Amino acid sequence: MAGTGGTASDDGISSPRPGGDRDRDGEGRARNARPRDGLGRPLPYGTPGVARQPEGVVRTPAQTVTEAQALLDAGRPFHAHEVFEDAWKSGPERERGLWRGLAQLAVGLTHAARGNATGGARLLRRGAGAVEEWTAATGEERPHGMDLGAVVGWARDLASAVESGEGPVDAGERAPRLR
């Protein structure tokens, strides 16, 4: 790959080489090529990591919910956030607030699993508020089969538990049930 100072990895991101060149994607944009763990934390170069969630995938709402739930159940809320983010960016304008709120909940669970109680609780509450706001504005309580009332309750309960000093949570064990 010309001008990147590295070699392309399986996900199309160039790996760095000594000399300080920045990691770049296939289109030349700066993008960190470091491997990531299951919670999205960067690992040292050369360390085996978890495959990144592809970005920019257009899915049906049913596919979005199914894929995100599988990732949440597997303890990979950071990756579920990417799925929700794709829906937020590619879905109908009317549903963007819903998917954005669900993405915030997944990031909140990510932070809680990483041991960041303050950030985790804040994002869980922010996401719950966004989902609740979307529900109030649309009148839809079960879009795409999701039980939004239960999801909001889960988020608020987990935020309280994390703030009470529970410590890092097991993301797979504490994953919400979307449907």
Side-chain angles (χ1 to χ4, degrees), residues 132-143:
E132 222 170 28
E133 185 178 310
W134 184 86
T135 301
T138 64
E140 291 189 52
E141 296 178 9
R142 296 190 66 87

Side-chain angles (χ1 to χ4, degrees), residues 39 47 60 88 159:
L39 293 173
T47 303
T60 66
W88 157 25

Side-chain angles (χ1 to χ4, degrees), residues 111-132:
H111 282 280
R114 290 177 177 176
N116 177 359
T118 301
R122 185 174 292 138
L123 282 162
L124 287 163
R125 286 200 173 92
R126 184 180 303 152
V131 169
E132 222 170 28

Side-chain angles (χ1 to χ4, degrees), residues 14 18 20 24 48 50 57 61 80 87 89 93 98 113 125 128-129 147 149 157 160 162-163 166 177:
S14 64
R24 304 249 175 220
V50 172
V57 177
K89 292 179 177 179
E93 181 68 36
L98 168 64
R125 286 200 173 92
D147 183 349
D157 289 347
S160 294
V162 169
E163 284 178 326
E166 185 176 304
R177 297 300 319 153

Side-chain angles (χ1 to χ4, degrees), residues 53-54 56-64 67 82-84 86-87 90:
Q53 193 63 31
V57 177
V58 178
R59 301 170 184 85
T60 66
Q63 290 169 327
T64 295
E67 189 169 343
E82 297 289 348
V83 172
F84 288 134
D86 284 342
S90 68

Side-chain angles (χ1 to χ4, degrees), residues 38-39 41 75-78 106-117 120 124 158 162 167-172 174:
L39 293 173
R41 292 176 291 217
R76 296 175 58 192
F78 179 81
V107 173
L109 178 55
T110 300
H111 282 280
R114 290 177 177 176
N116 177 359
L124 287 163
L158 183 56
V162 169
V169 300
D170 181 305
R174 299 301 294 265

